[in-house]
């Protein structure tokens, strides 16, 4: 038996493999396709204060070794999330992290305060990094002062786990990481998508309605690794790695670099079992290498 548990803040996760926001719906969509409770944590699609229709199509395009999305935060809003999505999520035995986004600073805290009245939620991932909305969006994690302030406002509203999700679309992700740490975040997740673009050479039109979108998939893994490595050196709180993880070998690279946990994202669109297969691969690797606790792999990079 391998001990796969990892601790982040006061929360114990059965294993370090989570599913990334926006790639696993609200989990009910995957019922019957995969053993959802075998996944270390479900991070929900972003929830906002009011319902949002999202962006016009086309919203997604495949690119070499990845994809670009501009979904635009479509969701039912916090009240319907509580009545329509929480009943299924609260039946799960795995950890539940709700990803939230506000248009303005105070809105993050307002949404978290409302969700904090609801049982069955282990923590919040603050989406400081959506590249696809006009208002707010990237600004929350492009400016360290704003990132710190919003994190402080949220921290005042909850004792549950607070994870700040950062964008790679900045000069110094380490500086933003320190800011959210100062604001009281328990952990950082990184990275969200990189701003990207694709053009149809026949119509000469952008392939995405909003012209640019967020690039994800294997194409961004080396960038994500470098950003996670930078963060691990700059902060004392745990870092949760996201970015192009398609296999257990990819996940292992991030753990070696120092990530406490990882999130599988784009791979879920190709295979609903991507996260559980990633976990199985990590456990086999530990067994074959005489490693009894997964945490013993974390931060073992030889430089
Ligand atoms: O919904 C989206 O368009 C979206 C979000 Br909120 C995000 O954080 N990252 C992304 O690539 N797309």
């Amino acid at each position: 038996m391998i001990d796969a548990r990892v601790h982040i803040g006061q929360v114990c996760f059965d294993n370090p493999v989570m599913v990334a926001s926006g790639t696993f719906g609200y989990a009910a969509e995957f019922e019957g396709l995969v053993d959802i409770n075998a996944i270390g944590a479900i991070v929900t699609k972003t929830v906002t204060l009011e319902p949002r229709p999202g962006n016009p199509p086309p919203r997604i395009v495949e690119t070499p070794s990845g994809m670009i999305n501009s979904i635009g935060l479509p969701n039912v809003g916090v009240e319907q999330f509580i009545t329509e999505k929480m009943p299924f999520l609260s039946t799960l035995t795995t950890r539940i992290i709700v990803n939230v986004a506000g248009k303005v600073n105070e809105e993050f805290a307002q949404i978290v305060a409302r969700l904090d009245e609801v049982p069955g939620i282990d923590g919040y991932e603050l989406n400081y990094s959506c590249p696809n909305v006009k208002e707010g969006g990237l600004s929350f994690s492009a400016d360290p002062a704003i990132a710190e302030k919003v994190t402080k406002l949220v921290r005042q509203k909850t004792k549950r786990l607070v994870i700040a999700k950062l964008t790679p679309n900045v000069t110094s992700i380490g500086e933003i990481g320190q800011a959210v740490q100062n604001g009281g975040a328990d952990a950082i997740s990184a990275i969200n998508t990189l701003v990207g673009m694709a053009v149809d050479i026949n119509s000469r039109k952008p392939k995405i309605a909003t012209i640019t979108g967020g690039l994800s998939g294997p194409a961004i893994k080396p960038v994500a690794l470098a950003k996670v490595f930078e963060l691990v050196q700059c902060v004392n709180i745990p870092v949760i790695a996201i970015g192009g993880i398609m296999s257990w070998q990819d996940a292992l690279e991030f753990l070696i670099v120092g990530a406490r946990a990882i999130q599988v994202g784009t791979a879920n669109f190709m295979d609903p079992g991507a996260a559980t297969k990633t976990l199985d691969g990590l456990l086999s690797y530990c067994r074959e290498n005489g490693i009894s606790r997964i945490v013993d792999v974390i931060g073992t990079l030889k430089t």
Side-chain angles (χ1 to χ4, degrees):
M1 265 301 267
I2 308 295
D3 182 355
R5 290 172 302 171
V6 294
H7 291 84
I8 300 174
Q10 75 284 16
V11 179
C12 178
F13 295 82
D14 285 346
N15 67 71
V17 179
M18 309 177 173
V19 284
S21 178
T23 67
F24 210 77
Y26 302 93
E29 297 89 332
F30 285 74
E31 201 187 10
L33 295 175
V34 57
D35 179 4
I36 299 173
N37 286 318
I39 300 167
I42 307 300
V43 187
T44 70
K45 172 66 183 161
T46 307
V47 176
T48 54
L49 192 60
E50 305 294 342
R52 290 176 53 94
N55 290 337
R59 292 169 160 189
I60 288 182
V61 63
E62 205 169 323
T63 58
S65 298
M67 57 175 270
I68 298 175
N69 86 80
S70 181
I71 312 296
L73 281 152
N75 79 101
V76 295
V78 70
E79 289 306 325
Q80 266 175 268
F81 169 77
I82 292 167
T83 53
E84 291 175 10
K85 312 295 182 186
M86 273 313 295
F88 177 77
L89 286 166
S90 43
T91 66
L92 300 174
T93 55
T94 187
R95 306 275 79 83
I96 305 298
I97 308 291
V98 181
N99 183 295
V100 303
K103 286 193 296 294
V104 292
N105 296 357
E106 293 72 21
E107 225 173 77
F108 282 88
Q110 200 180 338
I111 301 165
V112 165
R114 177 69 184 100
L115 290 170
D116 232 44
E117 297 167 4
V118 179
I121 297 171
D122 296 286
Y124 308 102
E125 184 177 67
L126 309 178
N127 192 351
Y128 288 164
S129 40
C130 180
N132 301 327
V133 289
K134 287 199 188 76
E135 277 177 290
L138 281 182
S139 66
F140 296 107
S141 73
D143 180 333
I146 296 177
E148 181 172 342
K149 187 171 173 206
V150 178
T151 309
K152 265 196 185 127
L153 290 172
V154 169
R155 181 76 285 168
Q156 286 161 7
K157 300 289 183 195
T158 184
K159 290 190 164 57
R160 288 176 177 167
L161 195 64
V162 173
I163 305 166
K165 182 167 180 176
L166 304 188
T167 177
N169 302 301
V170 291
T171 309
S172 169
I173 200 167
E175 193 186 353
I176 311 292
Q178 285 165 351
V180 298
Q181 176 174 274
N182 292 342
D186 296 298
I188 291 166
S189 57
I191 59 176
N192 204 319
T193 50
L194 286 141
V195 175
M197 182 172 168
V199 174
D200 182 324
I201 56 168
N202 295 314
S203 66
R204 300 195 179 182
K205 286 185 174 163
K207 287 185 176 175
I208 290 277
T210 55
I211 304 179
T212 61
L215 178 66
S216 65
I220 73 166
K221 195 193 76 177
V223 177
L225 265 173
K227 299 289 180 195
V228 168
F229 183 54
E230 181 181 340
L231 280 166
V232 164
Q233 289 170 305
C234 290
V235 299
N236 305 315
I237 53 178
V239 177
I240 304 166
I242 319 160
I245 297 175
M246 309 302 281
S247 65
W248 67 265
Q249 291 93 334
D250 292 336
L252 186 58
E253 280 190 71
F254 283 99
L255 296 178
I256 291 170
V257 159
R260 183 78 58 89
I262 60 99
Q263 293 180 9
V264 174
T266 300
N268 295 317
F269 296 129
M270 294 164 67
D271 177 4
T276 50
K277 285 176 190 163
T278 299
L279 175 63
D280 291 346
L282 287 173
L283 295 175
S284 299
Y285 166 83
C286 288
R287 265 190 294 275
E288 282 156 24
N289 289 277
I291 299 164
S292 58
R293 305 183 318 159
I294 255 181
V295 287
D296 291 338
V297 174
I298 295 171
T300 53
L301 185 73
K302 296 176 184 164
T303 48

